[in-house]
Every structure is written in C-alpha cells, then in structure tokens.
Amino acid sequence: MPIHSSSTGWVLETRNTAYAIGINEIGLLTHRYWGARLPFVEDYPPPFKSAYFASTDGLHHFVPEEYPGYAGTKYIDPCLKVTFADEVRDVVLVYEDFKVTASSPPTLDLRLKDSFYPLHVTLHYRLHEEYDLIERWVTLENRGDEPILVERVFSAKLTLPPGADYSLTHMYGRHNDEFHMQRESLTPGLKVIESRRIIPSHRASPWFAIDRNASEENGEVWFGTLAWSGNFKITAEVTEFASTRISIGLNDWDFAWKLMPKQPFTTPASISGYTQNGFGAASQIFHDYVRDEIIPHGKIPHKILYNSWEATLFDVDEKSQSSLAKIAAQIGVELFVMDDGWFHNRNLDNAGLGDWFPDKVKFPNGIGGLIKNVNDLGMDFGLWVEPEMVNPNSDLYRAHPDWVIRFPTRTLTESRNQLILNMARADVQEYLIEALDKLLCENNIAFIKWDMNRSVSEPGWADAPGDQREIWVRYVQGLYKVWGTLRQRHPNVIWQSCASGGGRADFGILQFADQIWTSDNTEPTARLNIQEGYLQFLPANTMEAWVTDWGKELVPLEFRFHVSMCGSLGVGGNLLEWDQADHESAASCIRLYKDIRHIIQFGDQFRLISSQKNNFSAVQYLSKDQAEGVLFVFRTYIPERFNFPMIHLRGMESDALYTVEGFGQPRSGRAWMEAGLTVELKNLQSKVLRISRK
Ligand code: DGJ
C-alpha cells in the first residue's frame, strides 16, 4: 500500500516520489516533504514545529500549513476564505480524522473542521503511482442550518523544500499566439497566473513548473495543473523566511459560493508531480497520464482530417464541400469536417448561432447528401458547432433573450456579434442536449468540433438560485453536463475542443474532447513555437495541426506538413487551388504520417533543440518499446552562415544498434545520444528522419 500512516502523519509514495504530511506539536496539519522517494518510511522528516515561531506573526510564513484557512495572523496566501452567517470571516481548521481507501488508485482523505462553526473540510489525495502524480481536491460541507459564504476555496497548497532560489515557468499568449513559455526567478512576494474569462483563455494556461536550475533532461522539477475549463488561479509565494509555496484552484476573483446546509461543494482536481529528470520528463509524465487516464479514446489513433474553414469560410454547400472532399480522399484524408456556415441563416458571423439545424438555402435536403458523398469516398464525416453561443439575430435569441449572460441594466457587450448562453441554467442545458442529440441521431456524424469564440462580459445571472457569482463555476459544470450527456449518448463520436484556437486547453475539457484545436494561427514557423508550448503539458495526439495556405509564399508545402506531423495531422488549405504537384506531395506526406503516427501519437516526445529559443530546432518521438523513432528538424530563418548544432537523440537503448535515415551504418543508441549527429538545412527547410532499432 503506497499510503503509510503513522504517529507522525502520512507518507504517500509513488514509483519514484513521495509526499508527506503530519500534525505538529500544536495540532497544525503541516506539509513535511515532497521529492524523491526514500528507502524507509521513517526517512521522511517530521512535521515542521511551530514552537519557535508561535509567538510571532512569522509562524505561517515559515511553518507550511497543508491547507491554510484565513484566520488569526495568517498573512500568507490562504487556501480557504469564508464568511459565516454571523459575519465572522476567519476559519480555524482543526484536524479531525482520516480515511485511506485501498482502491485503485488509492486515496487518502484528511478530514478537518472549523473549531466553532459547522464547516467540514476534506482534503482528498489520489495517488497515480505509475505516473508519479498526486491528484488533490477539496470538499466543503456545511453541517449547520445557515448558509456559509465561501469566497475562496483552492484545490491544493504545494510546498517546495525550504529555500527561495526557485524559478517558475508558466505560459502566456494571446489569440493566434498561444503557449509562450516564460521562466523567471521567484522572489519574495506573490506571483499570480490566472484567468478571469470563464475559459482558461489564450492568455495563460492552468499549468506551472518550478525548478532549481533544471534543464530539459536533468534536475528537479515540481509541476502541476488544474483540471478545470474555467477561471483558475495559480499563485507562487515566497515568504521572508525563504518558504516557497504554490496554490492552485478556482479563481477567487469575483467568486462566491453560498454553501447551503447539507449541499457539499467539491473543487476541481489539481494534479501535480515531481521529477529529477528535467522539464522533458515532466512533460512525458503528463503526456502519458492524459493519454492513458483522461481522454476518452486515448488508445485510438486519430484520423487525418480535412477541415474546410480556411478554404470556404461560411460559404458552404453540398457541391463545394463535396468537391473538396473528393480531393481530400485522393490525397489520403480519412475524416472530412465541415466547419462553420452550415446551419440556419449562417452566412456571416452575425447570425445563426443557436439554431442548430441545416440552412434550408445551402442544404435544402439537409446535410445527409453531403455525408453520404463523404462516406462513399471512404471518409468519416465531422461537423462544427458552437453550442454555448447565440447571435442576437437568431430564432433562439428571439425566443429566449433571457438565456444569455448579462447584467439587466448594462448594455450587452457583443464580441464577434455574439452573446454567451448561460450554461448554468437547466433550460439552456436541456435545449442544447436535445438540439445536438437530434443532430447526432439523424446524421452519420463521427466527429464534432466544439468551438467557443468569446470571453465573458457582464457576468450576471438574475434568477440565480444562490449567489450570482456562482456563475463562474456553475457555467463550467453546466458545460460538462451537456458535453458529458452527449458523450454518454454517442460514445463513439470523437470531439474536438476549440476556443478560437487554444483558448480552452486543459485537463478538464480533455475528459470530453479527444483533441484540441491548438491555434487559429497555422503559419508554420509560428506554429512550431505554439506547438512546443502546448506540448509542455498536453500530448501530441491531442494537438490538432492543419496544413493550410498560411505562409505558402515563403514556406514549402513539405515544411508545412512536417510541422503539422508533429501532432495530430490535419489539412485545412484550399485543395481546389493546390496544383497536381501539391496534391502529390501532400499524398506522400500523408502516407508517411500514416506509417509513423503511432510513434508520434503514442510514443515519448523529446524536445532536442527548442524552437522557442532557436531558429534551428529538433524534436524526436520514440515508441514506448524504444524500437522505432522519428526525428523532425526545422530551420526557419537564419540570416548568416551557421554552425549546425549537434543533435543528441534521446531515450534509446544504449547497447542496441539503431539506424537513422540518411546516416548509413547503424550505431549504438549510446552513440546517437552521446556523439549525436548534425543535419544541414537551408532556410525554411525541414527533414523527417526515421529511426529504427536493428
Ligand atoms: C474559430 C476557430 O478557431 C476556427 O478554426 C473556425 O472554426 C472558426 N471559429 C469558425 O467560425
């Protein structure tokens, strides 16, 4: 059993790591250890003592309480903040008892309660031993008769070993330019990474990594994420006593939850891990976990899709889509997706959202004819929807103007001419479940792209059952309910999550969607960087990447394909305008991808030379059995003569012989890794080299 309990507390052990908690001499539940697994349970340090600091307000700045509620002299960033019915606004948590469940995966529940009020708090720990990950979340329960107003409830506090010499890596971006890595030294004070947009957004990802001089392959990295598709908050706090801690959970900005008697509140789960093998290993751990444990069809290779958006925009009908489908099938595409524009009155982005039935002018006999054509060409059919949205110019809005998120006295802010349906409302949920279920029952649809193209404004909910500010959480819960119900009714459908590109890329949405549309920016040299950031915490099979016409004036088609082949390959260019040579080149890249996709989608990924830092980059994928691999090398633009860098392959069996395409005689895995190889490329040239074990 990997959960050990003793008089000093609890030790949670995964394959290579351990996490220890205990109760100190004044009864405070404190963090003890998070790092490499040690030989004996007795090896882990005892709980931090409060004695020395007890008489000063430094206590909580030094002693790492496992889950601090705001109370007394706790000026540190707390995890829990509530107001009781009598206006008392601090929460004094005392340890009550614990429960270990030897299920698979095993869990530890630590139960705390307020020393005076009927507020009960359970800290949950679920161990994913094989992945070296611990999932943590919190349940609140009001066992009294009066509501308690919860103003902050994080999922976890994560304490680093004593010290203030850490760096934080996080991601920032914007529409068309997502997933920039930012690494910075943590200094005393509080650093906040958050979203206030009802989706995680392009601006920040719910992910962090903390290190002390780690590299891609070496060094300690503590990392984590929040499985939540809404507002999140990650704080990194360094106290004046050189104590460094991370908090992660729902954003408390404009948040409140009226905790009614006997109605528990459960936070989303945080998932965190530790490795001594650098940032690369941290990514691989998350890749495996997402593929194996989160996404619905993690074992099925993704089909190569064609998406018509960039070719036709809203101008879709049976004839034009069928002619694109014909060429798509010829070049080897397996799934044809019709994007925006197919439904009632949708000719531009100013009408139609909400009315999820085929437009009578464009599809007088429905979309069945197109689907048949696509299926007859040997491809599956997929469709675009944006269920959470409504255009004021739509039948739905005219019938239910009260369904949108709004403050009644404020002008509604439109964005892309659209408003957001309040997914927290049961009637909205029912409408969407029925409308989309009908679509899926009546048509042979194998794939749905679920889009979401604006952030929230005027976040009001006039007839909210509790506090209006619950909308931030209830919206996401409603989204999950609708999507979850549809998934249950149509288990074989593959779903893709999109929010104007990568605006909703998180472990929460991946419970429903197998893929994420990475970015609306499909220009290949920009894509290299966007993809590198994405792959820090999400696996390649979830990363949908189309080859389009962006960059075609400068960047060869082959380069564009190679970039997209680093994830789940798709095509989105206007095939009607591609010439014969383009079609042949596309067909040959698609044939190659079909041969290697199991390595890319299910193997280990190694970032050999970063594209975000260099104009010459290399990335390798290796099958789990180390037998087959593929090396992608890209040169974007380097304006002068260049010393080609050594590329050191990774992950191979040291003593086995391997060939690398184009490099003649086999060499040992160790030789490829230690001595390396060089690949010479011209500007805007790329190569894909296959690696095979003899
Ligand atoms: C935004 C998406 O990111 C695009 O791929 C496309 O689906 C459009 N929406 C359609 O309106």
Side-chain angles (χ1 to χ4, degrees):
M1 165 58 90
I3 299 176
H4 309 273
S5 64
S6 70
S7 56
T8 45
W10 302 268
V11 175
L12 282 56
E13 289 184 325
T14 66
R15 197 153 49 117
N16 301 299
T17 76
Y19 187 94
I21 318 146
I23 297 173
N24 78 1
E25 86 287 0
I26 65 161
L28 204 62
L29 185 69
T30 71
H31 173 81
R32 289 166 52 196
Y33 179 86
W34 186 21
R37 184 174 169 163
L38 305 177
F40 307 109
V41 175
E42 298 71 32
D43 286 341
Y44 298 101
F48 280 74
K49 283 206 159 104
S50 293
Y52 172 66
F53 291 93
S55 60
T56 76
D57 70 3
L59 165 62
H60 299 286
H61 290 222
F62 181 76
V63 179
E65 191 176 353
E66 181 68 1
Y67 193 78
Y70 170 68
T73 54
K74 282 183 211 173
Y75 307 116
I76 48 137
D77 199 34
C79 284
L80 185 62
K81 170 99 175 54
V82 307
T83 300
F84 293 104
D86 60 2
E87 304 268 324
V88 166
R89 301 191 309 284
D90 73 356
V91 49
V92 177
L93 294 179
V94 290
Y95 169 73
E96 202 179 16
D97 62 7
F98 77 99
K99 186 172 142 210
V100 172
T101 310
S103 50
S104 175
T107 52
L108 167 69
D109 292 343
L110 297 178
R111 291 190 279 239
L112 314 173
K113 64 173 192 213
D114 186 85
S115 62
F116 182 83
Y117 295 93
L119 175 64
H120 291 249
V121 177
T122 306
L123 312 184
H124 306 276
Y125 300 78
R126 183 182 286 143
L127 264 67
H128 299 282
E129 289 174 74
E130 282 312 297
Y131 304 95
D132 287 326
L133 293 173
I134 300 180
E135 196 179 340
R136 288 180 56 185
W137 72 101
V138 170
T139 305
L140 302 180
E141 205 191 329
N142 175 358
R143 295 202 191 148
D145 303 321
E146 293 173 302
I148 300 168
L149 194 70
V150 181
E151 287 146 349
R152 169 186 285 194
V153 53
F154 285 158
S155 301
K157 172 80 74 187
L158 300 157
T159 302
L160 282 306
D165 52 347
Y166 292 97
S167 295
L168 166 71
T169 307
H170 59 98
M171 235 124 34
Y172 73 93
R174 59 192 167 90
H175 177 230
N176 271 332
D177 196 15
E178 299 91 335
F179 306 117
H180 283 270
M181 307 284 294
Q182 173 70 35
R183 183 164 178 264
E184 61 202 35
S185 295
L186 282 176
T187 52
L190 194 74
K191 169 89 189 178
V192 178
I193 314 292
E194 63 172 352
S195 162
R196 301 177 176 192
R197 291 170 174 261
I198 226 163
I199 50 174
S201 95
H202 309 77
R203 270 109 200 132
S205 295
W207 170 85
F208 70 87
I210 301 280
D211 77 292
R212 274 172 164 161
N213 296 323
S215 67
E216 194 59 23
E217 283 122 36
N218 293 301
E220 292 183 292
V221 181
W222 294 260
F223 57 96
T225 189
L226 188 73
W228 184 244
S229 310
N231 286 5
F232 72 89
K233 187 170 193 175
I234 296 172
T235 70
E237 182 171 35
V238 180
T239 77
E240 60 277 28
F241 290 93
S243 177
T244 301
R245 304 167 204 179
I246 304 292
S247 297
I248 184 163
L250 296 170
N251 199 345
D252 57 340
W253 177 83
D254 196 41
F255 165 83
W257 191 275
K258 207 169 183 182
L259 190 67
M260 305 303 280
K262 322 272 173 304
Q263 308 247 311
F265 179 82
T266 303
T267 69
S270 71
I271 298 122
S272 48
Y274 164 81
T275 175
Q276 294 188 330
N277 302 318
F279 289 94
S283 296
Q284 287 177 358
I285 289 171
F286 266 170
H287 293 171
D288 288 345
Y289 177 69
V290 170
R291 272 191 300 242
D292 298 351
E293 304 292 330
I294 299 193
I295 55 177
H297 300 98
K299 303 267 182 284
I300 301 176
H302 285 307
K303 296 196 164 162
I304 298 159
L305 66 76
Y306 178 79
N307 181 297
S308 62
W309 173 244
E310 293 196 14
T312 56
L313 296 177
F314 301 96
D315 196 8
V316 298
D317 61 21
E318 190 170 321
K319 194 159 163 255
S320 70
Q321 294 291 297
S322 297
S323 41
L324 281 166
K326 202 167 153 211
I327 310 175
Q330 280 162 6
I331 62 172
V333 165
E334 300 158 314
L335 162 68
F336 182 88
V337 183
M338 175 161 64
D339 209 277
D340 202 347
W342 61 270
F343 47 97
H344 180 53
N345 212 12
R346 183 71 165 174
N347 298 314
L348 280 175
D349 64 14
N350 59 2
L353 289 173
D355 300 339
W356 298 112
F357 46 91
D359 184 66
K360 285 256 167 351
V361 179
K362 294 176 184 173
F363 294 97
N365 304 312
I367 54 173
L370 172 62
I371 297 178
K372 182 168 181 316
N373 293 346
V374 167
N375 291 160
D376 287 349
L377 288 163
M379 296 183 292
D380 285 345
F381 178 80
L383 196 62
W384 178 97
V385 290
E386 193 177 359
E388 297 148 80
M389 298 293 153
V390 66
N391 286 117
N393 183 5
S394 66
D395 292 356
L396 183 69
Y397 185 73
R398 282 183 281 273
H400 298 286
D402 52 322
W403 280 8
V404 301
I405 295 179
R406 68 187 308 169
F407 287 134
T409 55
R410 298 288 176 207
T411 307
L412 280 163
T413 307
E414 291 181 21
S415 174
R416 209 192 188 208
N417 303 306
Q418 61 200 55
L419 303 169
I420 307 189
L421 292 173
N422 185 350
M423 298 294 284
R425 292 175 63 119
D427 44 11
V428 169
Q429 295 165 12
E430 267 160 46
Y431 169 77
L432 290 175
I433 290 171
E434 291 323 313
L436 297 176
D437 182 53
K438 186 164 183 291
L439 201 59
L440 286 164
C441 287
E442 288 177 355
N443 298 289
N444 186 22
I445 296 172
F447 176 98
I448 293 271
K449 174 175 171 186
W450 181 308
D451 206 346
M452 197 296 186
N453 282 307
R454 64 160 291 183
S455 300
V456 78
S457 60
E458 298 90 31
W461 178 9
D463 44 5
D467 190 295
Q468 280 211 24
R469 290 166 292 179
E470 292 174 20
I471 195 167
W472 299 108
V473 171
R474 291 199 189 268
Y475 179 96
V476 180
Q477 289 174 338
L479 168 75
Y480 288 174
K481 183 170 169 210
V482 172
W483 208 328
T485 308
L486 291 165
R487 280 206 53 82
Q488 249 172 7
R489 292 193 193 170
H490 303 277
N492 297 325
V493 172
I494 302 285
W495 302 77
Q496 183 181 89
S497 166
C498 170
S500 305
R504 194 156 59 187
D506 60 85
F507 282 32
I509 214 69
L510 286 170
Q511 299 166 82
F512 308 99
D514 283 277
Q515 287 188 342
I516 288 171
W517 174 230
T518 319
S519 176
D520 276 351
N521 186 343
T522 53
E523 193 288 315
T525 60
R527 255 304 172 119
L528 277 176
N529 300 337
I530 293 170
Q531 294 185 175
E532 183 170 288
Y534 179 99
L535 291 167
Q536 286 291 326
F537 76 123
L538 298 170
N541 64 334
T542 67
M543 186 177 78
E544 178 65 27
W546 312 337
V547 178
T548 71
D549 299 325
W550 281 41
K552 69 173 181 186
E553 301 75 17
L554 291 174
V555 189
L557 185 60
E558 198 181 52
F559 188 112
R560 278 138 63 199
F561 261 96
H562 291 169
V563 173
S564 295
M565 284 160 75
C566 291
S568 190
L569 176 65
V571 181
N574 190 348
L575 295 178
L576 299 169
E577 289 178 358
W578 289 17
D579 61 21
Q580 183 66 20
D582 291 339
H583 291 155
E584 277 163 22
S585 170
S588 135
C589 288
I590 287 175
R591 267 196 305 278
L592 171 61
Y593 185 75
K594 284 179 180 166
D595 260 12
I596 58 177
R597 84 171 126 193
H598 61 286
I599 308 171
I600 292 158
Q601 294 193 15
F602 304 120
D604 288 327
Q605 193 220 21
F606 300 86
R607 295 178 289 261
L608 305 182
I609 304 177
S610 161
S611 68
Q612 289 199 3
K613 296 187 196 139
N614 305 283
N615 288 341
F616 184 99
S617 60
V619 59
Q620 177 198 345
Y621 297 79
L622 191 68
S623 62
K624 289 278 175 196
D625 64 3
Q626 300 166 294
E628 306 171 84
V630 50
L631 170 67
F632 290 89
V633 193
F634 301 96
R635 172 171 170 169
T636 52
Y637 185 72
I638 302 166
E640 57 206 43
R641 284 187 58 207
F642 178 59
N643 287 336
F644 290 96
M646 293 306 298
I647 299 172
H648 298 274
L649 301 183
R650 292 282 161 237
M652 299 155 101
E653 235 184 287
S654 283
D655 297 332
L657 284 175
Y658 288 86
T659 53
V660 175
E661 196 178 345
F663 281 82
Q665 291 304 307
R667 287 202 258 159
S668 67
R670 199 178 176 101
W672 293 117
M673 294 191 288
E674 298 300 332
L677 55 101
T678 52
V679 179
E680 299 198 0
L681 297 176
K682 298 196 174 70
N683 278 334
L684 296 173
Q685 206 191 353
S686 58
K687 272 198 180 144
V688 186
L689 307 175
R690 298 185 66 169
I691 301 164
S692 334
R693 192 173 60 195
K694 292 280 112 198

